[in-house]
Amino acid sequence: LALPTNHTPYTTPAPHTIPHTMILFVLLCAIPAALGFTTTSSSLHLLDPSQRLTRPHGLLARARSSARRPSSAQSPSATSATRLYNLYDDWSGDLISSSQSEHSYDDLIMMLDEESIEQCLEELMDSEYGKTMFGRHDTPASVGITGSIEFESLEGPEVILELTGKFWHRRETVLGKAAMYLNARIPELTSIQPLDKDNISDFEDIIDEYTGEVIYVEDKRSPDFNGDRGTMEYQGLDPDARGPFVFGSGGPMIRPA
């Protein structure tokens, strides 16, 4: 049989291929979405958090994980060594309103009332400095320091404080620290006094009740546990300027006798 002259011979069709430009277009659209961005006609916008991928995979997942993981150079212990936690420490170190303090001068001033006085005393005793002075903390308590300072009364702009227990520091130093801080935080105060003059004396005369003679003098200070206080006094130095402990990277440490 003769084929029609207008017949087109049959040929096997070429396999279907995807143009390279289409592959590039798909990748450009997919990458921003995987990274949390969506495209508009004019700019890129972050996706709403609820629309982001909840479980990233592959290199993206590892990159996010390593970004969240703290390095050894930024461990909590390294950060805490340079950061002050207490308003008293920031104030005494003249750090308020600086980049090293989260407090401002607006936080410093308080109204004159009993609650404000008690709060200031708590801040002093719980400060890093207070951890070398007051017996509520483990390190001072371990060497016989039992001292505390308490609010006694408020009469107008005059406050009475009481020192209890034994201090390594002079009791006048303890009262002076509290008085300076109270004056800075509560400017309305005009007078800060001890319960009585004996309350800030480091020694007490024990008197015979029958003869009225001094039997002995009691030392109201805590023990000089390693001899440093006596040594500094002998050298003409003020022991309170250094305090009972030396300091290392971990805080106050007891220096052996």
Side-chain angles (χ1 to χ4, degrees):
L1 296 174
L3 293 173
T5 57
N6 61 350
H7 175 71
T8 303
Y10 176 79
T11 56
T12 303
H16 180 69
T17 58
I18 300 174
H20 294 294
T21 55
M22 183 175 291
I23 294 175
L24 181 60
F25 176 76
V26 172
L27 289 175
L28 290 175
C29 292
I31 291 175
L35 293 175
F37 292 86
T38 182
T39 58
T40 67
S41 58
S42 60
S43 60
L44 288 174
H45 298 278
L46 280 171
L47 285 171
D48 184 81
S50 63
Q51 297 174 340
R52 295 187 184 179
L53 296 175
T54 56
R55 297 187 64 180
H57 300 279
L59 292 174
L60 179 60
R62 288 195 292 272
R64 290 184 180 180
S65 176
S66 61
R68 288 192 299 265
R69 189 182 303 118
S71 65
S72 58
Q74 293 178 341
S75 63
S77 60
T79 303
S80 62
T82 57
R83 181 177 179 82
L84 297 177
Y85 305 95
N86 182 283
L87 185 57
Y88 177 85
D89 291 312
D90 287 8
W91 168 79
S92 63
D94 198 22
L95 297 176
I96 293 179
S97 293
S98 74
S99 59
Q100 299 181 53
S101 173
E102 60 184 25
H103 303 291
S104 68
Y105 282 104
D106 292 337
D107 302 326
L108 188 65
I109 305 303
M110 303 180 71
M111 297 291 293
L112 173 57
D113 55 40
E114 295 182 4
E115 290 75 15
S116 297
I117 295 170
E118 291 175 342
Q119 178 182 330
C120 291
L121 295 178
E122 287 295 316
E123 289 171 350
L124 167 61
M125 288 190 285
D126 283 338
S127 66
E128 292 300 308
Y129 180 81
K131 292 177 183 178
T132 70
M133 179 176 280
F134 298 99
R136 60 168 58 187
H137 303 289
D138 292 341
T139 302
S142 68
V143 295
I145 297 173
T146 61
S148 181
I149 186 166
E150 301 173 2
F151 168 72
E152 175 64 25
S153 65
L154 177 64
E155 299 179 6
E158 300 181 357
V159 63
I160 304 296
L161 303 178
E162 181 181 10
L163 279 66
T164 62
K166 292 180 176 292
F167 293 92
W168 190 93
H169 297 77
R170 293 192 304 274
R171 298 171 83 87
E172 286 185 351
T173 299
V174 179
L175 181 66
K177 294 290 184 183
M180 287 189 292
Y181 188 52
L182 286 170
N183 279 323
R185 297 215 62 189
I186 311 175
E188 294 177 75
L189 283 173
T190 60
S191 176
I192 300 169
Q193 298 292 334
L195 184 63
D196 52 50
K197 67 176 184 178
D198 292 334
N199 194 233
I200 56 171
S201 174
D202 295 316
F203 301 92
E204 181 179 359
D205 293 337
I206 305 302
I207 299 175
D208 187 300
E209 61 179 334
Y210 298 106
T211 64
E213 297 180 353
V214 176
I215 302 175
Y216 66 94
V217 177
E218 179 183 0
D219 190 344
K220 296 164 60 177
R221 301 174 296 176
S222 66
D224 187 7
F225 60 94
N226 61 1
D228 278 5
R229 185 173 61 201
T231 299
M232 286 186 280
E233 289 174 342
Y234 177 79
Q235 294 173 341
L237 304 175
D238 180 8
D240 292 358
R242 194 208 73 179
F245 310 111
V246 294
F247 284 82
S249 58
M253 300 185 300
I254 298 173
R255 193 180 75 81

